[in-house]
Amino acid sequence: MKNVVLLAAAMLAAPAFADDLSFNAALTSDYRYRGISQTRLQPALQGGADFASAATGWYVGAWASTINWTRDAGGSGRVELDAYGGKRGQLTQDVSYDAGVLTYVYKGRIPGLDNPDTTEVYGQLGYGPATLKYSHSVTSLFGVVDSKNSGYLDLGANIGAGAGYTVNLHAGHQRVRNNSAADYSDWKLGVSKDLGFASVQLAAVGTNASKTAYASPANGKFLGKNALQLTVSRTF
């Protein structure tokens, strides 16, 4: 929670240095995070705000989504709140970087788990349309007991296809420290279309996660199943 307070304070101070303030909103058929449904395979409403400085590369932001997994697991909340901050820029003319810290906040505790609030530090390199990102947890990972120092490796690319279309590619691997049964890989293949007033993305998503480790406590359904995901979003 300390990281959230620090990031919130930075956001309040942001207008003094920010060159850009943007907001985003989305409706998705299933909130998939690293391939795992956070909404029991049901739709989610999402939105956030970002401050960024073109002159310095520093940015801060907050984002929220409706979720089901915390209440399904015996908790009390139905919202995930993310607060983040970092710095992005160019290492060379062709290679970009992005590094920062991200905290996920949930309401209340969940029986049998550690505090679900999770903080990760991350670093990303980009080359052309491709990015390689590593996120490292400095707390327990989403309540998994004794999982501090877990890591997620993310390889992605957004390739312009003309006429407002973009091909979206992603492959990732989640390592959960001291809980190898929860390790898995995930993938996404999608296409998005910029309609001017909004963007629409249709994607095939899936994982090789354990059907036991990632079964919904509410109904036993596998939360990492292969599926199609439809998302409508807007930035303004």
Side-chain angles (χ1 to χ4, degrees):
M1 184 60 71
K2 180 180 178 181
N3 288 318
V4 177
V5 173
L6 290 174
L7 286 170
M11 289 182 67
L12 291 175
F17 66 81
D19 295 325
D20 182 56
L21 166 63
S22 64
F23 300 90
N24 59 82
L27 172 63
T28 183
S29 61
D30 183 6
Y31 171 23
R32 291 288 183 117
Y33 180 73
R34 297 177 181 172
I36 303 299
S37 177
Q38 309 297 295
T39 48
R40 204 187 328 120
L41 309 174
Q42 296 178 355
L45 287 170
Q46 303 171 333
D50 296 278
F51 288 111
S53 169
T56 66
W58 289 100
Y59 62 88
V60 291
W63 182 86
S65 177
T66 56
I67 57 172
N68 286 337
W69 76 267
T70 50
R71 180 163 291 192
D72 289 347
S76 59
R78 286 196 173 181
V79 175
E80 171 191 321
L81 174 63
D82 303 347
Y84 52 88
K87 190 177 190 299
R88 60 174 68 98
Q90 297 292 135
L91 291 177
T92 69
Q93 183 177 351
D94 298 319
V95 179
S96 63
Y97 72 89
D98 185 356
V101 59
L102 168 59
T103 294
Y104 309 79
V105 181
Y106 305 93
K107 179 182 178 181
R109 301 296 291 269
I110 299 174
L113 298 181
D114 279 348
N115 184 350
D117 294 353
T118 299
T119 297
E120 294 183 327
V121 294
Y122 58 85
Q124 175 179 289
L125 293 176
Y127 183 82
T131 58
L132 179 64
K133 181 179 181 180
Y134 177 70
S135 301
H136 189 85
S137 68
V138 295
T139 64
S140 293
L141 187 72
F142 305 113
V144 178
V145 175
D146 198 24
S147 59
K148 180 179 178 180
N149 293 319
S150 296
Y152 183 74
L153 187 64
D154 178 350
L155 177 63
N158 293 307
I159 303 170
Y165 288 95
T166 302
V167 176
N168 313 118
L169 305 174
H170 158 81
H173 180 74
Q174 178 71 68
R175 178 185 60 84
V176 183
R177 184 175 175 85
N178 298 319
N179 192 344
S180 60
D183 293 355
Y184 69 93
S185 298
D186 72 289
W187 57 272
K188 179 171 80 171
L189 171 60
V191 59
S192 58
K193 168 68 172 177
D194 183 357
L195 301 176
F197 62 90
S199 178
V200 177
Q201 182 192 68
L202 180 64
V205 297
T207 75
N208 66 352
S210 164
K211 293 183 179 180
T212 300
Y214 292 95
S216 168
N219 56 22
K221 290 186 177 180
F222 177 41
L223 300 178
K225 65 182 289 187
N226 295 345
L228 288 177
Q229 177 194 46
L230 178 65
T231 303
V232 180
S233 61
R234 183 179 181 184
T235 300
F236 49 93

